[in-house]
Amino acid sequence: MNLRPLGDRLVVKPIEEAEQTSTGIFLPETAKEKPQQGKVVAAGPGARKENGERIPLDVKVDDTVLYAKYAGTSIKLQGEEYLILKESDVLAIVENGNK
Amino acid sequence: MNLRPLGDRLVVKPIEEAEQTSTGIFLPETAKEKPQQGKVVAAGPGARKENGERIPLDVKVDDTVLYAKYAGTSIKLQGEEYLILKESDVLAIVENGNK
Amino acid sequence: MNLRPLGDRLVVKPIEEAEQTSTGIFLPETAKEKPQQGKVVAAGPGARKENGERIPLDVKVDDTVLYAKYAGTSIKLQGEEYLILKESDVLAIVENGNK
Amino acid sequence: MNLRPLGDRLVVKPIEEAEQTSTGIFLPETAKEKPQQGKVVAAGPGARKENGERIPLDVKVDDTVLYAKYAGTSIKLQGEEYLILKESDVLAIVENGNK
Amino acid sequence: MNLRPLGDRLVVKPIEEAEQTSTGIFLPETAKEKPQQGKVVAAGPGARKENGERIPLDVKVDDTVLYAKYAGTSIKLQGEEYLILKESDVLAIVENGNK
Amino acid sequence: MNLRPLGDRLVVKPIEEAEQTSTGIFLPETAKEKPQQGKVVAAGPGARKENGERIPLDVKVDDTVLYAKYAGTSIKLQGEEYLILKESDVLAIVENGNK
Amino acid sequence: MNLRPLGDRLVVKPIEEAEQTSTGIFLPETAKEKPQQGKVVAAGPGARKENGERIPLDVKVDDTVLYAKYAGTSIKLQGEEYLILKESDVLAIVENGNK
């Protein structure tokens, strides 16, 4: 994929939660929550400050990130779902997250 | 076409997705999604900073850009549909996008 | 007409689209779209910066401008309809537009 | 009248449009539009900048001004209707306006 | 009364309009408009600027002020109604107003 | 109680108005107004300015303050109701208020 | 858990109030209020100032914090509920709070 996000934006591939909950019960499709984790596949150069310099991003490609439900803009490219988030929509980095 | 956008605005020609989905099924007209890609046909000189200088745009004419559904203002000139976006409405540049 | 707009405002005379669409079909009155082009008949001196200086406008009298539907304030003076827009409501200048 | 407006405010006496329209037809009371012109009867000293200095107003007492419908706050003093507007609500000065 | 307003706030005692209108007709209680004039009974020290200094108020104790309907916060202390306004809610000072 | 408010926040204990109105009529529980006075039991260190310094608060512990109905966040700790207000929600200090 | 919050964000584990109220009455599940206290399990590096420096947080890991009902974003990781708050959503630190 060749998406180059602008400013402080990230392209994120959502991670589906495993089909099994922590209590070991399989849930039918409709009961699954919308994913809130994703892997960063592309990152912008950072937003510009007033003087023209960039503010570097804290998030890097391959980070697994946590984001609020319904954050960002969901896009579909070549049959795959991606999410374009602003770095400020990222709540936290999951350090031993799924890759 | 002779549109000269002001400030950080872009004139974009939306790209219709191919009438065939990734699964090879042809969709009737009403099931097609509103296009979210477009080609930049004109770009403004950049927004002015407080001191009067321009902030140069990151997007150039002929770039293929991705934008959120319903972003910008849709206009019709000489029978063709265009979209006028602010650069901040552009989510990402599609590097090997359709031209 | 002797309207002197304040700050970064423009007085614009809307241009009715020709009664004939690009497909050559005449439309009855009610199907016509609200005009989105207009000719600038007066322009303000520009908004003031914090230090009191004016930021000069990019739009000049006699320019044909494109603006979003329903932008600005519509006024009627001596039986004629005008629109008072802020320059930031102007999307683009139409370079070979109707005069 | 002895109203001293604060900051960048103006006291304006609305001007009723003549009871006759441009086509020469007299309109009954209920069909008249809310006035959008008025004469400035008092003007504030200007808003303060951060450093305490005043930004002088562009509008002066006796100017005839144009303002958006429903702008400002309508007050009644001694049986007369006035409007208190911020200068930023003034769209334009009518140079040969009614006095 | 011992109310000490903070920042750019004023304590105002609303002035009931006389029970007689300008046309000499007495109105029953329910037809009276909510008062829009009041006398300033206490004034704050002024809002702080970023550097910690105060911006002095333009309104002083004993001024009669005009304010928009429903501006501010209405409080009742010792059976009396007062209004706490920010100075920016004051439209104008009535120079020969009722005291 | 050991609540340490952050920034420009105050912990306030609301003061119920006496069950008797100024006209000497006892009101049943449901007719009482929500209290609008309270005593400050803890005060934050002040909001930070851009350069990292604190802006000192004007309100101190033990002050009786007046605040708008429904301002702030109501919390219950150890069976008691408290209100956490920002100093900017405080309208005035009641100088001979109830302690 | 390995969540690394960004900027001025905190990861908080909500503390359920004891099932017994201060009056000694046990409440059924549905009458319990949503918890408003929590223990900080991770804290971000602080928001960036315009010049790129971080503003240090006032809240530290292991603090017990009070926050408004419904503040922040609730997430579920490995079967546990957490809340991601901005430091500005924290009302106060509970000094002898539950740990």
Side-chain angles (χ1 to χ4, degrees):
Chain A
M1 195 192 57
N2 284 300
L3 278 187
R4 183 154 54 87
L6 293 191
D8 57 344
R9 286 193 178 87
L10 308 166
V11 183
V12 169
K13 180 94 198 75
I15 299 169
E16 299 271 339
E17 287 192 46
E19 277 80 6
Q20 189 176 7
T21 67
S22 61
T23 60
I25 298 170
F26 279 81
L27 296 176
E29 182 73 8
T30 54
K32 282 191 306 187
E33 286 198 318
K34 201 162 172 267
Q36 290 177 281
Q37 282 186 46
K39 193 174 154 193
V40 178
V41 297
R48 272 184 207 275
K49 288 193 283 189
E50 177 67 10
N51 64 10
E53 288 173 45
R54 300 284 190 182
I55 304 166
L57 297 185
D58 293 328
V59 173
K60 297 179 309 297
V61 167
D62 282 336
D63 280 351
T64 300
V65 292
L66 220 80
Y67 48 87
K69 279 186 184 179
Y70 312 115
T73 303
S74 145
I75 59 165
K76 191 183 257 178
L77 281 183
Q78 299 150 358
E80 298 267 320
E81 290 277 358
Y82 293 93
L83 205 58
I84 298 186
L85 297 171
K86 295 194 157 227
E87 196 192 56
S88 58
D89 291 325
V90 172
L91 301 169
I93 296 174
V94 184
E95 296 224 298
N96 296 320
N98 338 18
K99 302 223 171 182
Chain B
M1 196 193 56
N2 285 300
L3 278 187
R4 183 155 54 86
L6 293 191
D8 57 344
R9 286 193 177 87
L10 308 166
V11 182
V12 169
K13 180 93 197 78
I15 299 169
E16 299 271 338
E17 287 192 46
E19 277 79 5
Q20 190 175 9
T21 67
S22 61
T23 59
I25 298 169
F26 279 82
L27 295 177
E29 181 74 9
T30 55
K32 282 192 307 186
E33 287 199 318
K34 199 163 174 266
Q36 291 177 281
Q37 283 185 46
K39 193 174 154 193
V40 178
V41 297
R48 272 184 206 274
K49 289 193 284 187
E50 177 66 10
N51 64 9
E53 288 173 45
R54 301 283 191 184
I55 303 166
L57 297 185
D58 293 329
V59 173
K60 297 178 308 298
V61 168
D62 281 337
D63 280 351
T64 300
V65 292
L66 220 80
Y67 48 88
K69 280 185 184 179
Y70 311 116
T73 303
S74 145
I75 59 164
K76 190 183 258 179
L77 282 182
Q78 299 150 357
E80 298 267 320
E81 290 276 357
Y82 294 93
L83 205 58
I84 298 187
L85 296 172
K86 294 196 156 225
E87 194 191 58
S88 58
D89 291 325
V90 172
L91 302 169
I93 297 174
V94 184
E95 296 225 298
N96 295 321
N98 337 19
K99 301 222 171 182
Chain C
M1 197 193 54
N2 284 300
L3 278 186
R4 184 156 53 87
L6 293 190
D8 57 344
R9 286 192 177 87
L10 307 165
V11 183
V12 169
K13 180 93 196 80
I15 299 169
E16 300 270 339
E17 287 192 47
E19 278 79 6
Q20 188 175 10
T21 67
S22 60
T23 59
I25 298 169
F26 278 83
L27 296 176
E29 181 76 9
T30 54
K32 281 192 308 186
E33 287 199 317
K34 200 162 173 264
Q36 292 177 278
Q37 283 185 46
K39 193 174 153 192
V40 178
V41 296
R48 273 185 205 272
K49 289 193 285 187
E50 177 67 11
N51 64 9
E53 287 173 44
R54 303 281 191 184
I55 304 166
L57 297 185
D58 293 328
V59 174
K60 296 178 309 296
V61 168
D62 282 336
D63 281 350
T64 299
V65 293
L66 220 80
Y67 48 87
K69 280 185 186 180
Y70 311 116
T73 304
S74 145
I75 59 164
K76 189 183 261 179
L77 282 181
Q78 299 151 356
E80 298 267 320
E81 290 277 358
Y82 294 92
L83 205 58
I84 298 186
L85 296 172
K86 294 195 156 226
E87 194 191 58
S88 58
D89 291 325
V90 172
L91 302 169
I93 297 174
V94 184
E95 297 224 298
N96 296 321
N98 338 18
K99 301 220 171 182
Chain D
M1 197 193 53
N2 285 299
L3 278 186
R4 184 154 53 86
L6 293 190
D8 57 343
R9 286 193 177 87
L10 307 166
V11 182
V12 170
K13 181 91 196 83
I15 300 170
E16 300 270 340
E17 287 192 47
E19 278 80 4
Q20 188 176 10
T21 67
S22 60
T23 59
I25 299 169
F26 279 82
L27 295 177
E29 181 75 8
T30 54
K32 281 193 308 186
E33 285 198 320
K34 199 160 174 268
Q36 293 177 277
Q37 283 185 45
K39 193 174 152 194
V40 178
V41 297
R48 272 185 206 274
K49 288 193 284 187
E50 177 67 12
N51 64 9
E53 288 173 44
R54 303 282 190 183
I55 305 165
L57 297 185
D58 292 328
V59 174
K60 297 178 309 297
V61 168
D62 282 336
D63 280 351
T64 299
V65 293
L66 219 81
Y67 48 87
K69 279 186 185 179
Y70 311 117
T73 303
S74 145
I75 60 164
K76 189 182 261 179
L77 281 181
Q78 298 151 358
E80 297 267 323
E81 290 277 358
Y82 294 92
L83 204 59
I84 298 187
L85 296 172
K86 295 196 156 227
E87 194 191 59
S88 58
D89 292 325
V90 172
L91 301 168
I93 297 174
V94 185
E95 297 223 298
N96 296 321
N98 337 18
K99 300 218 172 183
Chain E
M1 195 193 57
N2 284 299
L3 279 186
R4 183 154 55 84
L6 293 191
D8 57 342
R9 286 193 178 86
L10 307 166
V11 183
V12 170
K13 181 90 195 85
I15 299 169
E16 300 271 339
E17 287 192 47
E19 278 80 5
Q20 189 176 9
T21 68
S22 60
T23 60
I25 299 169
F26 279 82
L27 295 176
E29 181 74 9
T30 54
K32 282 192 309 187
E33 285 199 319
K34 200 163 173 266
Q36 294 178 278
Q37 283 186 46
K39 193 174 152 194
V40 178
V41 296
R48 272 184 205 275
K49 288 193 285 188
E50 177 67 12
N51 65 8
E53 287 173 44
R54 303 281 190 184
I55 304 165
L57 297 185
D58 292 329
V59 174
K60 296 178 309 299
V61 168
D62 281 336
D63 280 352
T64 300
V65 293
L66 219 82
Y67 48 87
K69 280 187 184 178
Y70 312 117
T73 303
S74 144
I75 59 165
K76 190 184 259 177
L77 282 180
Q78 299 152 356
E80 298 267 322
E81 290 277 357
Y82 293 92
L83 205 58
I84 298 187
L85 296 173
K86 295 194 156 228
E87 195 192 56
S88 57
D89 292 325
V90 172
L91 301 169
I93 297 174
V94 185
E95 297 224 299
N96 294 322
N98 337 18
K99 301 220 172 180
Chain F
M1 196 193 56
N2 284 298
L3 278 187
R4 184 154 55 85
L6 294 190
D8 57 344
R9 286 192 178 87
L10 307 167
V11 183
V12 169
K13 181 92 197 82
I15 299 169
E16 299 271 338
E17 287 191 47
E19 277 80 6
Q20 189 174 8
T21 67
S22 61
T23 59
I25 299 171
F26 279 81
L27 294 176
E29 182 73 10
T30 54
K32 283 192 307 187
E33 286 199 319
K34 201 162 173 265
Q36 293 177 278
Q37 282 185 47
K39 192 174 153 194
V40 178
V41 297
R48 272 184 206 276
K49 288 193 284 188
E50 177 67 12
N51 65 8
E53 286 172 45
R54 302 282 190 183
I55 304 165
L57 297 185
D58 292 329
V59 174
K60 296 178 309 298
V61 168
D62 282 336
D63 280 351
T64 299
V65 292
L66 220 81
Y67 48 88
K69 279 187 186 179
Y70 313 116
T73 304
S74 144
I75 58 165
K76 189 184 259 179
L77 281 181
Q78 300 152 358
E80 298 267 321
E81 290 277 357
Y82 293 93
L83 205 59
I84 298 187
L85 296 173
K86 295 194 158 228
E87 195 192 56
S88 58
D89 291 325
V90 172
L91 301 170
I93 297 175
V94 183
E95 296 224 298
N96 294 322
N98 337 20
K99 300 221 171 180
Chain G
M1 194 192 58
N2 284 299
L3 278 188
R4 184 154 54 86
L6 293 190
D8 57 344
R9 285 192 178 87
L10 308 166
V11 183
V12 169
K13 180 93 198 78
I15 298 169
E16 299 271 339
E17 286 191 46
E19 277 80 6
Q20 189 176 8
T21 68
S22 61
T23 59
I25 299 170
F26 280 81
L27 295 176
E29 182 73 9
T30 54
K32 282 191 308 187
E33 286 199 319
K34 200 161 172 268
Q36 291 177 278
Q37 282 185 46
K39 193 174 153 194
V40 178
V41 297
R48 272 184 206 275
K49 289 193 283 188
E50 177 67 11
N51 64 9
E53 287 173 46
R54 301 283 190 183
I55 304 165
L57 297 185
D58 292 328
V59 173
K60 297 178 309 299
V61 167
D62 282 336
D63 280 352
T64 299
V65 292
L66 220 81
Y67 48 88
K69 280 185 184 180
Y70 312 116
T73 303
S74 145
I75 59 164
K76 190 184 258 179
L77 282 183
Q78 299 151 359
E80 298 267 321
E81 289 276 357
Y82 293 93
L83 205 59
I84 299 186
L85 297 172
K86 295 194 156 227
E87 196 193 56
S88 58
D89 291 325
V90 171
L91 301 169
I93 296 175
V94 184
E95 296 224 300
N96 296 320
N98 338 19
K99 300 223 170 178

